[in-house]
Amino acid sequence: MIDLRSDTLSKPSKEMRKAMYEAETGDDGRIDSFGRSEDPTVRRLEDLSAEISGHEAALFCNSGTMANYIAILTHEAQRGDSILTDRSSHISRSEKGLFMEHLFGLTPEFYPVDDHGIPDSDAIENIVKNGQSRLLLLENTHNAYGGTCISVSKMKKLCAIAHLYSAPVHLDGARIFNAAAYFDIDVKALTSPADSMMFCLSKGLGAPVGSMLCGNRDFIYRARKLRKILGGSMRQAGVIAAAGIVALEDAVEKSKVDHENALYLARNINTEYMKIDVDAVQTNIIIADISSSGRSAAHLVNELEQKGLRLQAISDTKVRMATYKDISAEEIKKTVSIINNYFNNKYL
Ligand SMILES: *Cc1c(COP(=O)(O)O)cnc(C)c1O
């Protein structure tokens, strides 16, 4: 089975498993006199993440969702406050707890984005100037728009606008290494303009578990306390942090291979039955519109699964594919032939 549903399907490499086996550990739920984790491997991962992101400090979290929650609450968003995001951000679509009245009770305020999910800075300026939003949220790469990337100049501009009106910026950079690979730059060029940022170790980077929250020392100190309150302290977490450290080696360069695979795939399956905006295929995600194939996404997914290929239906008319390190160029070629054979047999 070729499984392209998500890059979260990536498996820990042999090297990661070896590092996990050998990891030095401590109680990550306890802090030393410097306010740091007692787990030495977690400390190493946090230091490395801080350095890569261009922030002073970092906090190891069990998931990206947890890291986003902690970040938003550490920025002191409180019940009734509105926070600025776009309608199709991961935070609006999946991390609903923030906006549930009986949970965190925040209110989303939506800013418009273009066809590639890039935020409209003039509209954001108008909203921040007049509104009550406490916090600007950005997502780079944008998951629902197919892994599209916000440039460094746009990141700086958006952050400058928010800062002008004293609103902090949190970057959901679950796949920020993919954006850095697309622009061929250091991650920190994209992440340092934001006040805080999160990235996932468990997606394209291939680690089994975990996400990093990065920010200044005071922010991370407060975030660590909140993580404990939310039940996110993890004890001998060095075992999984060790895999994260391996995942960060050459992460930007390695994701370029996934991007080449995605682009090759997109170019070779883009037909009227499976319409792809190839310009949006900037990183490792492909979204295809199958409206004119005359079948629902769920039905197509089902039929392709019988041919040995798994895709993700993301709406009635759209499917998503993601490439990651365990998907070889050969499997990509096989995918091309499964999809094209399927449509040729059905329609010719
Ligand atoms: C996956 C993802 C998250 C959440 O990460 P989990 O580890 O699955 O909780 C947040 N934001 C974006 C953009 C994502 O793609």
Side-chain angles (χ1 to χ4, degrees):
M1 184 69 73
I2 301 172
D3 199 340
L4 302 183
R5 286 172 301 165
S6 175
D7 49 8
T8 56
L9 293 154
S10 58
K11 299 227 167 105
S13 63
K14 274 203 183 115
E15 207 189 346
M16 284 177 194
R17 287 177 184 271
K18 182 163 180 287
M20 293 170 82
Y21 182 78
E22 291 170 353
E24 238 188 290
T25 61
D27 186 345
D28 183 48
R30 290 172 192 279
I31 51 172
D32 63 18
S33 52
F34 302 102
R36 302 295 315 274
S37 165
E38 281 191 14
D39 186 303
T41 308
V42 170
R43 280 204 304 274
R44 263 209 299 144
L45 173 62
E46 289 178 343
D47 289 344
L48 193 57
S49 303
E51 191 192 319
I52 289 172
S53 66
H55 285 274
E56 284 176 2
L59 179 70
F60 187 34
C61 297
N62 64 323
S63 69
T65 301
M66 176 70 99
N68 278 338
Y69 280 11
I70 293 174
I72 290 162
L73 299 173
T74 303
H75 282 298
E76 295 177 354
Q78 290 172 14
R79 189 163 289 279
D81 282 350
S82 68
I83 57 175
L84 261 178
T85 180
D86 81 273
R87 211 170 276 284
S88 56
S89 68
H90 194 275
I91 284 172
S92 329
R93 286 178 311 120
S94 306
E95 300 170 29
K96 299 194 176 77
L98 290 168
F99 305 120
M100 287 177 177
E101 184 49 38
H102 60 290
L103 288 177
F104 298 113
L106 302 176
T107 309
E109 197 172 358
F110 298 119
Y111 56 75
V113 296
D114 72 10
D115 291 348
H116 286 168
I118 308 301
D120 179 331
S121 36
D122 291 340
I124 288 181
E125 176 147 21
N126 267 327
I127 304 173
V128 197
K129 202 191 303 184
N130 303 315
Q132 297 297 314
S133 268
R134 276 213 55 82
L135 179 66
L136 172 62
L137 300 174
L138 300 172
E139 183 172 317
N140 197 9
T141 69
H142 202 301
N143 185 340
Y145 281 87
T148 46
C149 306
I150 306 177
S151 69
V152 172
S153 60
K154 188 85 191 197
M155 281 297 306
K156 283 188 179 158
K157 185 170 181 188
L158 291 164
C159 294
I161 290 170
H163 293 156
L164 193 60
Y165 300 97
S166 308
V169 180
H170 174 65
L171 168 63
D172 177 347
R175 295 187 180 80
I176 197 70
F177 286 79
N178 297 93
Y182 176 67
F183 295 119
D184 203 17
I185 51 173
D186 279 346
V187 165
K188 64 170 75 127
L190 292 164
T191 54
S192 60
D195 300 275
S196 61
M197 69 95 36
M198 176 284 275
F199 66 86
C200 292
L201 295 162
S202 57
K203 293 182 172 166
L205 300 195
V209 183
S211 291
M212 305 305 300
L213 176 61
C214 309
N216 70 31
R217 244 175 236 110
D218 172 62
F219 179 87
I220 294 300
Y221 178 78
R222 289 182 292 123
R224 192 180 297 278
K225 290 188 165 174
L226 202 56
R227 185 185 68 170
K228 190 179 180 71
I229 291 171
L230 293 175
S233 293
M234 292 188 288
R235 309 307 178 194
Q236 282 68 40
V239 170
I240 48 178
I245 293 170
V246 175
L248 287 172
E249 281 165 19
D250 283 334
V252 172
E253 282 310 306
K254 284 180 188 154
S255 43
K256 289 180 182 169
V257 178
D258 301 337
H259 298 186
E260 282 165 23
N261 283 339
L263 195 56
Y264 176 89
L265 177 57
R267 285 187 174 139
N268 286 282
I269 57 172
N270 183 18
T271 60
E272 60 171 312
Y273 305 122
M274 208 177 221
K275 280 204 190 92
I276 296 166
D277 173 3
V278 177
D279 290 339
V281 184
Q282 299 173 358
T283 57
N284 68 328
I285 301 176
I286 300 169
I287 292 177
D289 184 336
I290 57 143
S291 324
S292 49
S293 73
R295 44 190 29 76
S296 72
H299 184 87
L300 177 75
V301 164
N302 223 316
E303 293 207 313
L304 287 175
E305 195 158 328
Q306 288 162 34
K307 316 263 179 225
L309 175 64
R310 272 200 181 135
L311 312 182
Q312 177 95 40
I314 56 168
S315 73
D316 276 354
T317 55
K318 285 184 179 159
V319 292
R320 185 180 78 168
M321 288 153 259
T323 57
Y324 51 95
K325 72 173 177 52
D326 305 310
I327 299 293
S328 64
E330 206 168 306
E331 285 172 305
I332 291 294
K333 288 200 167 133
K334 180 112 188 280
T335 302
V336 170
S337 76
I338 292 174
I339 290 177
N340 290 338
N341 283 340
Y342 173 82
F343 283 119
N344 286 341
N345 289 339
K346 293 283 172 197
Y347 294 104
L348 292 183

